[in-house]
Amino acid sequence: MISQEEFVELIKTTLNRDIKSNYEQNEAVLAPVNEDQFIVAGPGSGKTTTLVLKILKFYFVDDINIENIMVTTFTKKAARQLKDKTIMWAKQIFKQLDKPFDKSFNNIITGTLDGIAEDYVAFDDMSVIDNFTSSALMMQTLLKDDRINDKKLKQFVKRMNENQAGVSSAQINSIILTLREAMYENMADIDELESRSERESLLYEIIHEYNHQLDEKLIVDYALLETRFYELLNENKIPKLENNLRVLLVDEYQDTNFLQEQIYFKLAEYTKNNNGSITVVGDDDQSLYRFRGSNVHLFTNYEQRISKKLDIHPKIIYLHTNYRSTDTIVDFLNDYINIDPIYRQTSSLNKPDIISQSTNTNTYPVVGLFRNNIEELTYDLSNLIYELKKGEKVEFRNEYGENFKVQFDNPSIAVLLNSPKEINAYNRKRLPYFIRNTLTTRDENMVIFNPRGQNIEATDIVSLICGLILQAVDSDMKLEDSLRNIPPRTHDILDHWREFTKEYMDDEKLIVDKNNINIQEVLSEIENVCMTLIDQTAENKIYYDLITETIIQTSRAIAYDDTLTANQVFWHILIPIALGAVELDDDLFDIDLDENINIMSIHQAKGLEFDVVIVDVGSDILNNKKSSAFKRFPEKGGKTYNIEHYVQRCSDVGIINDENPTDAAFDELIRRYFVAYSRSKTLLILCGLNSMRHGYQGNFQDSIKIPNIATGWNRNKIWVWENLDNLFNI
């Protein structure tokens, strides 16, 4: 052990971290072991550094065993980064103290809550399935007896989806999965929900049969995994945690759901009994995952809820010093988050404004780049990105003749959008497509990284993999032709896979026993054929890793004696892939984002930072049609609200979503753009069509207003940033 004063001096000299210069961080790090904390951490405020320093202080000053500390994060990647930083800094301190490194640091419990739960719930005879496998099982259940075409079920799904037009098989499957997950996440009484059901009674028949399949196959999905973990904790059946857990640190608490809250409260009870503490860290302004079941009110009401449940009274600490962005960007963030008075009332935290402590002296204005049409926007934006990335000196000049110059040395660049899809559902090319095409045409060595820009099932590498599997298990199409209830679009994708494979390679075929298919052996034979495509781009490598790992995991979950039948390969692997059930996990992005032109969704950018950030605030918003309202100025609550409202009727969450559904959608959109704008370190650029800058449709129809949250309108339809004169428009 060392004294607290020695620790403070040690991290200053060894790690170059002077916590005395930041009162709030100093207060958070140097707290006693039994002090519970509620840390509200704004963007760029060093929350990861604070968490790591707290761990090191507990070990070096308070003599807490590393195995008695648990840290949860939102993603596996964030958990790895936090663990790596903890070990790296610990090694530096041990070296400075002239002591051998304590290898127990390798055993610190870090991970997502799902990952930690899996360690305690999954046994030799039980395994956890990923989202793709659960989607495949649900689809098989849904297609049985032609349930997917049930009129009452379709009408219910349309109501949840707020879609008056038709709904696809994939949408029906997704809504049912989301509803089921929401039931578990909100700890709803499913029997009571079923007793209240009317036209949707078939929904519960499908859910019960799906659950029966899980039990029969000795598998659990993520929603059931957390439920089982909670049950074990609630029954005090994990003595290792009950007796040893002393410190619990929870990151990104603003994206917690009700079930997770109850798990954390049970773990917090253990820490309290062991004379320890719980610290939660988050920021309600950066809550993005409501569509995945998170409830931001659990964060804003955290003090009251944990006090009522456990008589724990956490000390609130505001980390509001931003070390990431320039003064100009921080001022812009404060202006933006305070535009809507109703939004500010939703938070009971009384947070102070962000203050800047960036050492970056290049305080450029926030730039606006708006053009009449997508062609002009693409041309000028692509030229700007090219010149910035190449290190050229770029002059920005506005309509008044004012100018400033910018020059970077290979800057990190991100283009952030609501959706990074390059082609929309109506087969129209979008800004990400045009940027990729323009930049790669100009310089084939410039790497455009947008793995979520494609429909995975239609990419070349996935088409080849699945086409080769099709060729192996059903070369004559007899099986495909015999299967009933396959949605029409699925047939189109299967045909595309077959045709692509024929064009790509000769007619060599894999020979398999159609009743005993070892899918891993098939994939091993396929790998060499795919290698040329795999090596073409970083995205192809990601798609290849994703699809092969998905197929292997699904096979393990449903196979007997490591083999599948051709029929199982179709229903559990090929058809779900064709329906678009495969989701890209951001943890697969194990590449250097700084070297690319990164095109990504705002959700993907959470937790990241770039020298230059370009935010699309309306490159495809041409008018004031209702179809675009959800991404600029909501008119209703949407699918997420409908599912919350349906499920929480029979839940003890204690925060029933009784707020105006449109207000909930507004709050969500405000948070999304706040996250987008706060990713930039040096240069922030807003781009879109002139209809977004001037606020009306154009073509002499200036009375047709197009309000947009991203461009400074509040929900009262007051345009605070009228004509975006607060930007340096080039």
Side-chain angles (χ1 to χ4, degrees):
M1 288 177 59
I2 60 175
S3 70
Q4 185 167 287
E5 291 73 20
E6 287 176 303
F7 176 75
V8 171
E9 187 60 29
L10 197 59
I11 62 173
K12 181 179 180 181
T13 56
T14 306
L15 307 178
N16 195 28
R17 293 295 186 276
D18 181 12
I19 59 173
K20 283 190 174 180
S21 65
N22 183 324
Y23 175 78
E24 292 81 11
Q25 191 177 62
N26 185 77
E27 191 177 25
V29 171
L30 300 183
V33 177
N34 61 355
E35 179 177 282
D36 304 290
Q37 294 182 343
F38 178 30
I39 300 178
V40 183
S45 61
K47 66 183 179 67
T48 301
T49 294
T50 301
L51 286 172
V52 172
L53 291 178
K54 280 180 74 70
I55 295 168
L56 297 175
K57 187 262 183 184
F58 288 138
Y59 177 86
F60 286 104
V61 177
D62 301 310
D63 201 25
I64 303 294
N65 291 331
I66 285 296
E67 293 91 341
N68 301 144
I69 300 172
M70 177 187 289
V71 190
T72 70
T73 60
F74 194 70
T75 66
K76 295 175 185 176
K77 182 182 289 186
R80 288 196 302 270
Q81 290 172 343
L82 187 142
K83 184 174 183 177
D84 290 346
K85 180 176 278 192
T86 302
I87 291 173
M88 180 179 70
W89 284 4
K91 285 180 176 178
Q92 291 177 245
I93 293 175
F94 277 116
K95 184 178 180 181
Q96 186 70 20
L97 292 172
D98 197 24
K99 293 182 178 181
F101 173 66
D102 183 347
K103 293 183 179 179
S104 68
F105 272 90
N106 296 317
N107 301 323
I108 185 172
I109 306 172
T110 60
T112 63
L113 190 57
D114 286 336
I116 291 171
E118 188 171 350
D119 291 337
Y120 295 98
V121 173
F123 305 101
D124 291 339
D125 59 347
M126 180 180 288
S127 59
V128 181
I129 58 174
D130 60 14
N131 291 330
F132 171 81
T133 306
S134 62
S135 180
L137 286 172
M138 183 63 81
M139 180 58 73
Q140 186 183 35
T141 308
L142 187 55
L143 291 171
K144 182 181 176 182
D145 299 327
D146 204 29
R147 289 165 169 157
I148 202 163
N149 289 315
D150 183 86
K151 289 184 179 178
K152 291 181 180 179
L153 182 64
K154 282 189 171 181
Q155 288 171 350
F156 173 75
V157 169
K158 285 181 182 179
R159 179 160 63 86
M160 288 292 107
N161 209 32
E162 290 194 345
N163 182 2
Q164 300 306 311
V167 286
S168 68
S169 302
Q171 287 174 318
I172 296 173
N173 195 47
S174 175
I175 288 287
I176 293 176
L177 278 169
T178 304
L179 271 165
R180 178 185 169 277
E181 289 166 2
M183 292 173 190
Y184 284 102
E185 290 164 349
N186 288 277
M187 302 178 76
D189 186 328
I190 298 178
D191 291 336
E192 185 181 347
L193 280 170
E194 184 175 8
S195 70
R196 295 190 185 189
S197 66
E198 297 174 354
R199 302 179 67 86
E200 75 274 19
S201 58
L202 181 58
L203 167 73
Y204 293 92
E205 180 183 318
I206 292 167
I207 288 174
H208 290 319
E209 187 170 322
Y210 170 86
N211 287 341
H212 177 70
Q213 285 192 67
L214 295 183
D215 290 339
E216 194 176 56
K217 298 177 187 297
L218 294 176
I219 53 181
V220 293
D221 58 13
Y222 290 127
L224 199 53
L225 171 69
E226 291 187 354
T227 300
R228 295 276 173 86
F229 186 44
Y230 172 73
E231 290 169 352
L232 290 174
L233 291 171
N234 203 42
E235 295 165 8
N236 297 322
K237 289 184 177 179
I238 310 181
K240 182 179 178 181
L241 290 177
E242 184 179 2
N243 299 329
N244 299 322
L245 184 63
R246 194 155 176 209
V247 173
L248 175 62
L249 305 172
V250 184
D251 193 14
E252 303 288 2
Y253 195 84
Q254 77 278 354
D255 287 315
T256 297
N257 62 48
F258 180 54
L259 172 59
Q260 291 169 339
E261 179 199 58
Q262 297 308 298
I263 292 172
Y264 286 132
F265 282 4
K266 191 63 186 178
L267 294 171
E269 183 182 322
Y270 294 164
T271 67
K272 181 179 180 181
N273 294 339
N274 294 328
N275 195 31
S277 61
I278 176 175
T279 293
V280 303
V281 185
D283 181 13
D284 53 314
D285 290 332
Q286 298 184 73
S287 178
L288 288 185
Y289 289 93
R290 180 168 159 249
F291 70 97
R292 288 187 184 171
S294 72
N295 188 335
V296 70
H297 300 297
L298 302 180
F299 180 81
T300 55
N301 291 277
Y302 172 73
E303 287 180 281
Q304 301 94 305
R305 292 177 71 82
I306 198 166
S307 172
K308 182 179 180 180
K309 182 84 172 182
L310 297 173
D311 197 28
I312 287 176
H313 305 279
K315 182 175 187 176
I316 186 167
I317 296 173
Y318 299 103
L319 297 183
H320 61 111
T321 302
N322 182 297
Y323 297 98
R324 173 189 300 153
S325 306
T326 63
D327 295 351
T328 307
I329 294 172
V330 168
D331 289 344
F332 183 82
L333 290 173
N334 285 325
D335 286 345
Y336 174 75
I337 206 65
N338 287 299
I339 279 175
D340 192 289
I342 297 176
Y343 174 76
R344 264 288 160 245
Q345 294 168 12
T346 64
S347 175
S348 59
L349 299 176
N350 298 316
K351 292 191 299 185
D353 281 349
I354 310 165
I355 59 175
S356 174
Q357 283 293 326
S358 171
T359 57
N360 193 336
T361 57
N362 296 314
T363 53
Y364 307 119
V366 177
V367 173
L369 198 164
F370 298 89
R371 297 295 183 264
N372 290 321
N373 52 58
I374 192 68
E375 291 80 13
E376 290 181 18
L377 179 62
T378 301
Y379 180 82
D380 289 344
L381 183 57
S382 298
N383 279 340
L384 175 59
I385 292 172
Y386 178 85
E387 291 169 355
L388 289 171
K389 192 65 178 177
K390 288 294 186 180
E392 298 179 13
K393 185 173 287 187
V394 180
E395 181 179 10
F396 291 84
R397 183 176 295 275
N398 67 13
E399 58 200 315
Y400 306 111
E402 300 167 333
N403 71 301
F404 67 93
K405 295 179 180 179
V406 172
Q407 188 171 22
F408 290 95
D409 180 15
N410 190 27
S412 56
I413 299 178
V415 181
L416 306 184
L417 311 93
N418 271 307
S419 167
K421 287 291 185 187
E422 298 187 7
I423 299 176
N424 70 10
Y426 303 101
N427 210 31
R428 292 184 187 138
K429 297 179 177 66
R430 301 181 65 247
L431 182 63
Y433 172 89
F434 291 118
I435 291 175
R436 177 191 293 274
N437 188 58
T438 304
L439 285 174
T440 52
T441 299
R442 183 167 181 176
D443 184 349
E444 61 182 14
N445 294 318
M446 187 161 282
V447 179
I448 313 300
F449 187 66
N450 182 19
R452 290 187 183 272
Q454 317 295 322
N455 291 323
I456 294 174
E457 68 274 12
T459 59
D460 288 352
I461 186 65
V462 174
S463 298
L464 181 58
I465 294 167
C466 294
L468 289 167
I469 295 174
L470 268 176
Q471 189 184 72
V473 304
D474 190 34
S475 59
D476 54 11
M477 294 186 63
K478 287 183 179 179
L479 177 57
E480 182 180 341
D481 290 340
S482 70
L483 298 176
R484 297 178 61 240
N485 302 331
I486 298 180
R489 184 178 180 277
T490 305
H491 276 299
D492 294 340
I493 293 293
L494 295 175
D495 289 344
H496 166 71
W497 289 345
R498 292 183 190 274
E499 289 301 317
F500 182 85
T501 304
K502 285 179 184 177
E503 293 176 6
Y504 188 82
M505 59 178 293
D506 296 332
D507 286 335
E508 295 179 18
K509 295 178 181 177
L510 300 172
I511 306 299
V512 298
D513 178 349
K514 296 183 181 180
N515 293 313
N516 295 283
I517 301 168
N518 186 313
I519 202 70
Q520 286 188 255
E521 291 180 359
V522 173
L523 290 173
S524 294
E525 293 191 51
I526 284 174
E527 184 175 7
N528 287 335
V529 179
C530 300
M531 196 55 67
T532 301
L533 268 182
I534 294 171
D535 291 339
Q536 274 188 3
T537 66
E539 291 159 333
N540 277 0
K541 178 67 166 62
I542 288 172
Y543 298 143
Y544 176 80
D545 289 344
L546 170 68
I547 213 70
T548 53
E549 183 61 28
T550 295
I551 291 171
I552 289 169
Q553 285 193 22
T554 303
S555 173
R556 287 173 181 163
I558 64 176
Y560 295 98
D561 300 324
D562 296 323
T563 63
L564 303 172
T565 65
N567 196 66
Q568 286 177 310
V569 171
F570 257 90
W571 284 116
H572 290 283
I573 294 174
L574 297 177
I575 289 176
I577 292 174
L579 282 167
V582 179
E583 295 182 357
L584 200 55
D585 186 347
D586 288 356
D587 283 321
L588 290 169
F589 302 170
D590 192 20
I591 65 172
D592 187 358
L593 295 177
D594 289 353
E595 295 301 312
N596 313 313
I597 306 300
N598 302 284
I599 300 176
M600 54 179 61
S601 70
I602 296 169
H603 291 85
Q604 281 176 266
K606 178 78 179 294
L608 302 177
E609 60 183 28
F610 301 89
D611 296 316
V612 180
V613 171
I614 300 161
V615 182
D616 177 13
V617 296
S619 66
D620 50 8
I621 299 175
L622 304 171
N623 47 46
N624 201 20
K625 286 185 178 179
K626 291 185 177 181
S627 58
S628 70
F630 73 96
K631 58 185 174 183
R632 56 172 179 81
F633 202 81
E635 296 181 357
K636 49 191 176 182
K639 178 178 69 176
T640 300
Y641 179 88
N642 294 338
I643 290 173
E644 286 174 347
H645 189 72
Y646 179 85
V647 169
Q648 289 179 358
R649 298 174 302 161
C650 301
S651 166
D652 292 328
V653 64
I655 303 175
I656 302 300
N657 198 346
D658 57 359
E659 63 186 322
N660 182 294
T662 309
D663 282 339
F666 266 106
D667 294 345
E668 192 174 12
L669 200 54
I670 289 169
R671 295 184 186 108
R672 191 181 310 168
Y673 281 103
F674 179 77
V675 168
Y677 298 152
S678 62
R679 299 307 95 196
S680 177
K681 293 194 288 185
T682 306
L683 182 61
L684 175 62
I685 302 172
L686 277 57
C687 75
L689 301 182
N690 271 327
S691 53
M692 294 299 93
R693 180 186 172 188
H694 301 306
Y696 56 84
Q697 186 167 323
N699 298 325
F700 306 104
Q701 299 181 59
D702 55 357
S703 61
I704 304 177
K705 302 296 182 183
I706 311 179
N708 186 348
I709 286 291
T711 57
W713 294 74
N714 64 34
R715 76 193 71 191
N716 297 323
K717 284 197 173 181
I718 296 173
W719 196 9
V720 181
W721 290 351
E722 190 166 353
N723 291 315
L724 294 180
D725 289 338
N726 59 322
L727 304 182
F728 190 94
N729 292 289
I730 61 173

